[in-house]
Amino acid sequence: PATLSAIADAVIATAGAAVAAGADLAVFFGDAVAAEEMRLGAAGRVLLRPSGTEHLVRVMVEAQDAELAREVAERLASVVVAV
């Protein structure tokens, strides 16, 4: 069985006031996350985690390539900032 030798990258993005602490991020970002997960396939994963106290969302991406992880994290962070 193949193992995931992942390169992780994380970006913190400031979310708009619409994304309150405890908000269901799938409502805001589900389509964007699904599209990036399709690009990564079984070779990576994506996690968006809201701050409990600020309008911040941590965007974490694992991929087999550091550049790909950074690109995906930055694309998702731009979606978060746009909300």
Side-chain angles (χ1 to χ4, degrees):
T3 60
L4 177 62
S5 176
I7 303 293
D9 206 340
V11 177
I12 298 177
T14 303
V19 182
D24 181 2
L25 296 184
V27 171
F28 294 97
F29 312 117
D31 291 342
V33 169
E36 295 299 346
E37 287 176 333
M38 292 263 312
R39 284 190 183 105
L40 293 171
R45 64 182 177 164
V46 172
L47 174 67
L48 269 61
R49 194 187 77 184
S51 168
T53 58
E54 301 175 275
H55 292 296
L56 299 175
V57 175
R58 182 177 306 265
V59 179
M60 293 171 279
V61 177
E62 290 182 353
Q64 290 184 329
D65 176 86
E67 185 174 333
L68 177 60
R70 169 63 66 180
E71 289 171 3
V72 170
E74 288 178 356
R75 276 194 301 268
L76 287 171
S78 69
V79 172
V80 170
V81 170
V83 170

Coordinates of all heavy atoms in Angstrom, one line a residue:
P1 N 0.8 -1.2 0.0 CA 0.0 0.0 0.0 C 0.9 1.3 0.0 O 1.9 1.3 0.7 CB -0.8 -0.1 1.3 CG -0.2 -1.2 2.1 CD 0.7 -2.0 1.2
A2 N 0.4 2.2 -0.7 CA 1.2 3.5 -0.8 C 0.9 4.3 0.4 O -0.1 4.3 1.0 CB 0.7 4.3 -2.0
T3 N 2.0 5.0 0.9 CA 1.8 5.9 2.0 C 2.0 7.3 1.5 O 2.7 7.6 0.5 CB 2.9 5.6 3.1 OG1 4.2 5.8 2.5 CG2 2.8 4.2 3.6
L4 N 1.3 8.2 2.2 CA 1.4 9.6 1.9 C 2.6 10.2 2.5 O 2.7 10.3 3.7 CB 0.1 10.3 2.3 CG 0.1 11.8 2.1 CD1 0.1 12.1 0.6 CD2 -1.2 12.4 2.6
S5 N 3.6 10.6 1.7 CA 4.7 11.3 2.2 C 4.4 12.8 1.9 O 4.7 13.3 0.9 CB 6.0 10.9 1.4 OG 7.1 11.7 1.8
A6 N 3.8 13.4 2.9 CA 3.2 14.7 2.6 C 4.1 15.9 3.0 O 4.9 15.8 3.9 CB 1.9 14.8 3.4
I7 N 4.0 16.9 2.2 CA 4.6 18.2 2.5 C 3.4 19.0 2.9 O 2.4 19.1 2.2 CB 5.2 18.8 1.2 CG1 6.3 17.9 0.6 CG2 5.8 20.2 1.6 CD1 7.5 17.7 1.5
A8 N 3.4 19.6 4.1 CA 2.3 20.4 4.6 C 2.6 21.9 4.4 O 3.8 22.3 4.5 CB 2.0 20.1 6.0
D9 N 1.6 22.7 4.1 CA 1.7 24.1 4.1 C 0.5 24.7 4.7 O -0.6 24.1 4.6 CB 1.9 24.6 2.6 CG 2.6 25.9 2.5 OD1 2.7 26.6 3.6 OD2 3.1 26.2 1.5
A10 N 0.7 25.8 5.4 CA -0.4 26.4 6.1 C -0.4 27.9 5.9 O 0.7 28.5 5.8 CB -0.4 26.1 7.6
V11 N -1.6 28.4 5.7 CA -1.7 29.9 5.5 C -2.8 30.3 6.4 O -3.8 29.6 6.6 CB -2.1 30.2 4.0 CG1 -2.3 31.7 3.8 CG2 -1.0 29.7 3.0
I12 N -2.7 31.5 7.0 CA -3.8 32.0 7.8 C -4.4 33.2 7.0 O -3.7 34.1 6.5 CB -3.3 32.5 9.2 CG1 -2.7 31.4 9.9 CG2 -4.4 33.2 9.9 CD1 -2.2 31.7 11.3
A13 N -5.7 33.1 6.8 CA -6.4 34.1 6.0 C -7.4 34.8 6.8 O -8.1 34.2 7.6 CB -7.1 33.4 4.8
T14 N -7.5 36.1 6.7 CA -8.5 36.9 7.4 C -9.8 36.8 6.6 O -9.9 37.1 5.5 CB -8.1 38.4 7.4 OG1 -6.8 38.4 8.1 CG2 -9.1 39.2 8.2
A15 N -10.8 36.2 7.3 CA -12.1 36.1 6.7 C -13.0 37.3 7.0 O -12.8 38.0 8.0 CB -12.8 34.8 7.3
G16 N -14.0 37.5 6.1 CA -14.9 38.6 6.3 C -15.8 38.3 7.6 O -15.8 37.2 8.1
A17 N -16.5 39.3 8.0 CA -17.3 39.2 9.2 C -18.4 38.2 9.0 O -19.0 37.7 10.0 CB -18.0 40.6 9.5
A18 N -18.7 37.8 7.7 CA -19.8 36.8 7.5 C -19.4 35.5 8.0 O -20.2 34.6 8.4 CB -20.0 36.7 6.0
V19 N -18.1 35.2 8.1 CA -17.6 34.0 8.7 C -17.3 34.2 10.2 O -16.2 34.5 10.5 CB -16.3 33.5 7.9 CG1 -15.8 32.2 8.5 CG2 -16.5 33.4 6.4
A20 N -18.3 34.0 11.0 CA -18.1 34.2 12.4 C -17.5 32.9 13.0 O -17.5 31.8 12.4 CB -19.5 34.4 13.0
A21 N -16.9 33.1 14.2 CA -16.4 31.9 14.9 C -17.4 30.9 15.1 O -18.6 31.2 15.4 CB -15.9 32.4 16.3
G22 N -17.1 29.7 14.7 CA -18.0 28.5 14.8 C -18.9 28.4 13.6 O -19.8 27.5 13.6
A23 N -18.7 29.2 12.6 CA -19.5 29.0 11.4 C -19.2 27.7 10.7 O -18.1 27.2 10.8 CB -19.2 30.2 10.4
D24 N -20.2 27.2 9.9 CA -20.0 26.0 9.1 C -19.2 26.4 7.9 O -19.8 27.0 7.0 CB -21.4 25.4 8.8 CG -21.2 24.2 8.0 OD1 -20.1 23.7 7.7 OD2 -22.3 23.6 7.6
L25 N -18.0 26.1 7.8 CA -17.1 26.6 6.7 C -17.5 25.9 5.4 O -17.3 26.5 4.3 CB -15.7 26.3 7.0 CG -15.1 27.0 8.2 CD1 -13.6 26.7 8.3 CD2 -15.3 28.5 8.0
A26 N -18.2 24.8 5.4 CA -18.6 24.1 4.2 C -19.6 25.0 3.4 O -19.7 25.0 2.2 CB -19.2 22.7 4.5
V27 N -20.4 25.8 4.2 CA -21.4 26.7 3.5 C -20.7 27.7 2.7 O -21.1 28.0 1.6 CB -22.3 27.3 4.6 CG1 -23.1 28.5 4.0 CG2 -23.1 26.3 5.3
F28 N -19.6 28.2 3.2 CA -18.8 29.3 2.5 C -17.8 28.8 1.5 O -17.6 29.3 0.5 CB -18.1 30.2 3.6 CG -19.0 30.9 4.5 CD1 -19.3 30.5 5.7 CD2 -19.6 32.1 4.0 CE1 -20.2 31.2 6.6 CE2 -20.4 32.8 4.9 CZ -20.7 32.4 6.1
F29 N -17.1 27.7 1.9 CA -16.0 27.2 1.1 C -16.0 25.8 0.5 O -15.0 25.3 0.0 CB -14.7 27.4 1.9 CG -14.6 28.7 2.6 CD1 -14.6 28.8 4.0 CD2 -14.6 29.9 1.9 CE1 -14.5 30.0 4.6 CE2 -14.5 31.1 2.5 CZ -14.5 31.2 3.9
G30 N -17.1 25.1 0.7 CA -17.2 23.7 0.3 C -16.9 23.4 -1.1 O -16.1 22.5 -1.4
D31 N -17.3 24.3 -2.0 CA -17.1 24.0 -3.5 C -15.6 24.2 -3.8 O -15.0 23.4 -4.5 CB -17.9 25.0 -4.3 CG -19.4 24.6 -4.3 OD1 -19.7 23.5 -3.9 OD2 -20.2 25.5 -4.7
A32 N -15.0 25.2 -3.2 CA -13.6 25.5 -3.4 C -12.7 24.4 -2.9 O -11.7 23.9 -3.5 CB -13.2 26.9 -2.9
V33 N -13.0 23.9 -1.7 CA -12.3 22.8 -1.1 C -12.4 21.6 -1.9 O -11.4 20.9 -2.2 CB -12.7 22.6 0.4 CG1 -12.1 21.3 0.9 CG2 -12.3 23.8 1.3
A34 N -13.6 21.3 -2.3 CA -13.9 20.1 -3.1 C -13.1 20.1 -4.4 O -12.5 19.1 -4.9 CB -15.4 19.9 -3.4
A35 N -13.0 21.3 -5.1 CA -12.2 21.4 -6.3 C -10.8 21.1 -6.1 O -10.1 20.4 -6.9 CB -12.5 22.8 -6.9
E36 N -10.2 21.7 -5.0 CA -8.8 21.5 -4.7 C -8.5 20.0 -4.3 O -7.5 19.5 -4.7 CB -8.3 22.4 -3.6 CG -8.4 23.9 -4.0 CD -7.5 24.3 -5.2 OE1 -6.6 23.5 -5.6 OE2 -7.7 25.4 -5.8
E37 N -9.4 19.4 -3.6 CA -9.3 18.0 -3.2 C -9.3 17.1 -4.4 O -8.5 16.1 -4.5 CB -10.3 17.6 -2.2 CG -10.1 18.1 -0.8 CD -11.2 17.8 0.1 OE1 -12.4 17.6 -0.3 OE2 -11.0 17.8 1.3
M38 N -10.1 17.5 -5.4 CA -10.1 16.7 -6.7 C -8.7 16.8 -7.4 O -8.2 15.9 -7.9 CB -11.2 17.2 -7.6 CG -12.6 17.0 -7.2 SD -13.3 15.5 -7.9 CE -13.0 15.7 -9.6
R39 N -8.1 18.1 -7.4 CA -6.8 18.3 -8.0 C -5.7 17.4 -7.3 O -4.8 16.9 -7.9 CB -6.4 19.7 -7.9 CG -7.1 20.6 -8.9 CD -6.4 22.0 -8.9 NE -7.2 22.8 -9.9 CZ -8.0 23.8 -9.5 NH1 -8.2 24.1 -8.2 NH2 -8.6 24.5 -10.4
L40 N -5.8 17.3 -5.9 CA -4.8 16.6 -5.2 C -5.0 15.1 -5.3 O -4.1 14.4 -5.2 CB -4.9 17.0 -3.7 CG -4.4 18.5 -3.4 CD1 -4.8 18.8 -1.9 CD2 -3.0 18.7 -3.7
G41 N -6.3 14.7 -5.4 CA -6.6 13.3 -5.5 C -6.2 12.6 -4.1 O -6.2 13.2 -3.1
A42 N -5.8 11.3 -4.2 CA -5.4 10.6 -3.0 C -4.0 11.0 -2.5 O -3.6 10.5 -1.4 CB -5.4 9.1 -3.3
A43 N -3.3 11.9 -3.2 CA -2.0 12.2 -2.8 C -1.9 13.5 -1.9 O -0.9 14.0 -1.7 CB -1.2 12.5 -4.1
G44 N -3.1 13.9 -1.4 CA -3.1 15.0 -0.5 C -4.4 15.2 0.2 O -5.3 14.5 0.0
R45 N -4.4 16.3 1.0 CA -5.7 16.6 1.7 C -5.7 18.1 2.1 O -4.6 18.7 2.1 CB -5.9 15.7 3.0 CG -4.8 15.9 4.0 CD -5.1 15.0 5.2 NE -4.1 15.1 6.2 CZ -4.2 14.7 7.4 NH1 -5.3 14.1 7.8 NH2 -3.2 14.8 8.3
V46 N -6.9 18.6 2.4 CA -7.1 20.0 2.7 C -7.9 20.1 4.0 O -8.8 19.3 4.2 CB -7.9 20.7 1.6 CG1 -8.4 22.1 2.0 CG2 -7.2 20.6 0.3
L47 N -7.5 21.0 4.8 CA -8.3 21.3 6.1 C -8.4 22.8 6.3 O -7.4 23.5 6.2 CB -7.6 20.7 7.3 CG -8.2 21.0 8.6 CD1 -9.6 20.3 8.7 CD2 -7.3 20.5 9.7
L48 N -9.6 23.3 6.4 CA -9.9 24.7 6.8 C -10.4 24.7 8.2 O -11.3 23.9 8.5 CB -10.9 25.3 5.9 CG -10.4 26.0 4.6 CD1 -9.7 25.0 3.7 CD2 -11.5 26.7 3.9
R49 N -9.7 25.5 9.1 CA -10.1 25.5 10.5 C -10.3 26.9 10.9 O -9.4 27.7 10.8 CB -9.1 24.8 11.3 CG -9.5 24.5 12.7 CD -8.4 24.0 13.6 NE -7.6 25.2 13.9 CZ -6.5 25.2 14.5 NH1 -6.0 24.0 14.9 NH2 -5.9 26.3 14.8
P50 N -11.5 27.3 11.4 CA -11.7 28.7 11.9 C -11.1 28.9 13.2 O -11.0 28.0 14.1 CB -13.2 28.8 12.0 CG -13.7 27.4 12.3 CD -12.7 26.5 11.6
S51 N -10.7 30.1 13.5 CA -10.2 30.6 14.8 C -11.5 30.6 15.7 O -12.6 31.0 15.2 CB -9.6 31.9 14.7 OG -9.4 32.5 16.0
G52 N -11.3 30.3 16.9 CA -12.4 30.4 17.8 C -12.6 31.8 18.4 O -13.7 32.1 19.0
T53 N -11.7 32.7 18.1 CA -11.8 34.0 18.7 C -11.7 35.2 17.7 O -12.0 36.3 18.1 CB -10.7 34.2 19.8 OG1 -9.4 34.0 19.2 CG2 -10.9 33.2 20.9
E54 N -11.2 34.9 16.5 CA -11.0 36.0 15.6 C -11.6 35.6 14.2 O -11.9 34.5 14.0 CB -9.5 36.2 15.4 CG -8.7 36.6 16.6 CD -7.2 36.7 16.4 OE1 -6.6 35.7 16.4 OE2 -6.8 37.8 16.1
H55 N -11.6 36.6 13.3 CA -12.1 36.3 12.0 C -11.0 35.8 11.1 O -10.6 36.4 10.1 CB -12.8 37.5 11.3 CG -14.0 38.0 12.0 ND1 -15.2 37.2 12.0 CD2 -14.3 39.0 12.7 CE1 -16.1 37.8 12.6 NE2 -15.6 38.9 13.1
L56 N -10.4 34.6 11.5 CA -9.3 34.0 10.8 C -9.6 32.6 10.5 O -10.3 31.9 11.3 CB -8.0 34.1 11.7 CG -7.5 35.4 12.1 CD1 -6.3 35.2 13.0 CD2 -7.1 36.2 10.9
V57 N -9.1 32.1 9.4 CA -9.3 30.7 9.0 C -7.9 30.2 8.7 O -7.2 30.8 7.8 CB -10.2 30.6 7.8 CG1 -10.3 29.1 7.3 CG2 -11.6 31.1 8.1
R58 N -7.5 29.1 9.3 CA -6.2 28.5 9.0 C -6.5 27.5 7.8 O -7.4 26.7 7.9 CB -5.7 27.7 10.2 CG -4.4 27.1 9.9 CD -3.8 26.4 11.2 NE -3.8 27.4 12.3 CZ -2.8 28.1 12.7 NH1 -1.6 27.9 12.0 NH2 -2.8 28.9 13.7
V59 N -5.7 27.7 6.8 CA -5.8 26.8 5.6 C -4.6 25.9 5.6 O -3.5 26.4 5.5 CB -5.8 27.7 4.3 CG1 -5.9 26.8 3.1 CG2 -7.0 28.7 4.3
M60 N -4.9 24.6 5.7 CA -3.8 23.6 5.8 C -3.9 22.7 4.6 O -5.0 22.1 4.3 CB -3.8 22.9 7.1 CG -3.4 23.8 8.2 SD -3.7 23.1 9.9 CE -5.5 23.3 10.0
V61 N -2.8 22.4 3.9 CA -2.8 21.5 2.8 C -1.6 20.6 2.9 O -0.5 21.0 3.2 CB -2.7 22.4 1.4 CG1 -2.6 21.4 0.2 CG2 -3.8 23.3 1.3
E62 N -1.8 19.3 2.6 CA -0.8 18.4 2.5 C -0.8 17.8 1.0 O -1.8 17.5 0.5 CB -1.0 17.2 3.4 CG -0.8 17.6 4.9 CD -1.0 16.4 5.8 OE1 -1.3 15.3 5.4 OE2 -0.7 16.6 7.0
A63 N 0.4 17.8 0.5 CA 0.6 17.2 -0.9 C 2.0 16.6 -1.0 O 2.8 16.9 -0.1 CB 0.5 18.3 -1.9
Q64 N 2.3 15.9 -2.0 CA 3.6 15.3 -2.1 C 4.6 16.3 -2.6 O 5.8 16.0 -2.6 CB 3.5 14.1 -3.1 CG 2.8 12.9 -2.4 CD 2.8 11.7 -3.3 OE1 2.8 11.8 -4.5 NE2 2.7 10.5 -2.6
D65 N 4.2 17.4 -3.1 CA 5.1 18.4 -3.6 C 4.9 19.8 -2.8 O 3.7 20.2 -2.7 CB 4.8 18.6 -5.1 CG 5.6 19.7 -5.8 OD1 6.7 19.4 -6.2 OD2 5.0 20.8 -5.8
A66 N 5.9 20.4 -2.3 CA 5.8 21.6 -1.5 C 5.2 22.7 -2.4 O 4.4 23.5 -1.8 CB 7.2 22.0 -1.0
E67 N 5.6 22.8 -3.6 CA 5.0 23.9 -4.4 C 3.5 23.8 -4.7 O 2.8 24.7 -4.6 CB 5.8 23.9 -5.8 CG 5.3 25.1 -6.7 CD 6.2 25.2 -7.9 OE1 7.3 24.7 -8.0 OE2 5.6 25.7 -8.9
L68 N 3.1 22.5 -4.9 CA 1.7 22.3 -5.1 C 0.9 22.6 -3.8 O -0.1 23.2 -3.8 CB 1.4 20.8 -5.5 CG 0.0 20.4 -5.6 CD1 -0.7 21.3 -6.7 CD2 -0.1 18.9 -6.0
A69 N 1.5 22.2 -2.6 CA 0.8 22.5 -1.4 C 0.6 24.0 -1.2 O -0.4 24.5 -0.8 CB 1.6 21.9 -0.2
R70 N 1.7 24.8 -1.5 CA 1.6 26.2 -1.3 C 0.6 26.8 -2.3 O -0.2 27.7 -1.9 CB 3.0 26.8 -1.6 CG 3.1 28.3 -1.7 CD 2.7 29.1 -0.5 NE 3.6 28.9 0.6 CZ 3.4 29.5 1.8 NH1 2.4 30.4 1.9 NH2 4.2 29.3 2.7
E71 N 0.6 26.4 -3.5 CA -0.4 26.9 -4.5 C -1.8 26.7 -4.1 O -2.6 27.6 -4.2 CB -0.1 26.3 -5.9 CG 1.2 26.7 -6.6 CD 1.5 25.9 -7.8 OE1 0.7 25.0 -8.2 OE2 2.6 26.2 -8.4
V72 N -2.1 25.5 -3.7 CA -3.5 25.1 -3.2 C -3.8 26.0 -2.0 O -4.9 26.5 -1.9 CB -3.6 23.6 -2.9 CG1 -4.9 23.3 -2.3 CG2 -3.4 22.8 -4.2
A73 N -2.9 26.1 -1.0 CA -3.2 26.8 0.2 C -3.4 28.3 -0.2 O -4.4 28.9 0.4 CB -2.0 26.7 1.2
E74 N -2.7 28.8 -1.1 CA -2.9 30.3 -1.5 C -4.2 30.5 -2.2 O -4.8 31.5 -2.0 CB -1.7 30.7 -2.3 CG -0.4 30.9 -1.4 CD 0.8 31.3 -2.1 OE1 0.8 31.5 -3.4 OE2 1.8 31.6 -1.4
R75 N -4.5 29.5 -3.1 CA -5.8 29.7 -3.8 C -7.0 29.6 -2.8 O -7.9 30.5 -2.9 CB -6.0 28.6 -4.9 CG -5.3 28.9 -6.2 CD -5.8 27.9 -7.3 NE -5.5 26.5 -7.0 CZ -4.4 25.9 -7.4 NH1 -3.5 26.5 -8.0 NH2 -4.3 24.6 -7.1
L76 N -6.9 28.7 -1.9 CA -8.0 28.6 -0.9 C -8.0 29.9 0.0 O -9.1 30.4 0.4 CB -7.9 27.3 -0.1 CG -8.3 26.1 -0.9 CD1 -7.9 24.9 0.0 CD2 -9.7 26.1 -1.2
A77 N -6.8 30.3 0.4 CA -6.8 31.6 1.2 C -7.4 32.7 0.5 O -8.1 33.6 1.1 CB -5.3 31.9 1.6
S78 N -7.2 32.8 -0.8 CA -7.8 33.9 -1.6 C -9.3 33.8 -1.6 O -10.0 34.9 -1.6 CB -7.2 34.0 -3.0 OG -7.7 32.9 -3.8
V79 N -9.9 32.6 -1.6 CA -11.3 32.4 -1.5 C -11.8 32.9 -0.1 O -12.8 33.6 0.0 CB -11.7 31.0 -1.7 CG1 -13.2 30.7 -1.5 CG2 -11.3 30.6 -3.2
V80 N -11.1 32.5 0.9 CA -11.4 32.9 2.3 C -11.5 34.4 2.4 O -12.4 35.0 3.0 CB -10.5 32.3 3.3 CG1 -10.7 32.9 4.7 CG2 -10.6 30.8 3.4
V81 N -10.4 35.1 1.9 CA -10.3 36.5 2.0 C -11.4 37.2 1.3 O -11.9 38.3 1.7 CB -8.9 37.0 1.5 CG1 -8.9 38.5 1.4 CG2 -7.8 36.5 2.5
A82 N -11.9 36.6 0.2 CA -13.0 37.2 -0.6 C -14.3 37.2 0.0 O -15.2 37.9 -0.4 CB -13.0 36.5 -2.0
V83 N -14.5 36.4 1.1 CA -15.8 36.3 1.7 C -16.1 37.5 2.6 O -15.2 38.0 3.3 CB -15.9 35.0 2.5 CG1 -17.2 35.0 3.4 CG2 -16.0 33.9 1.6

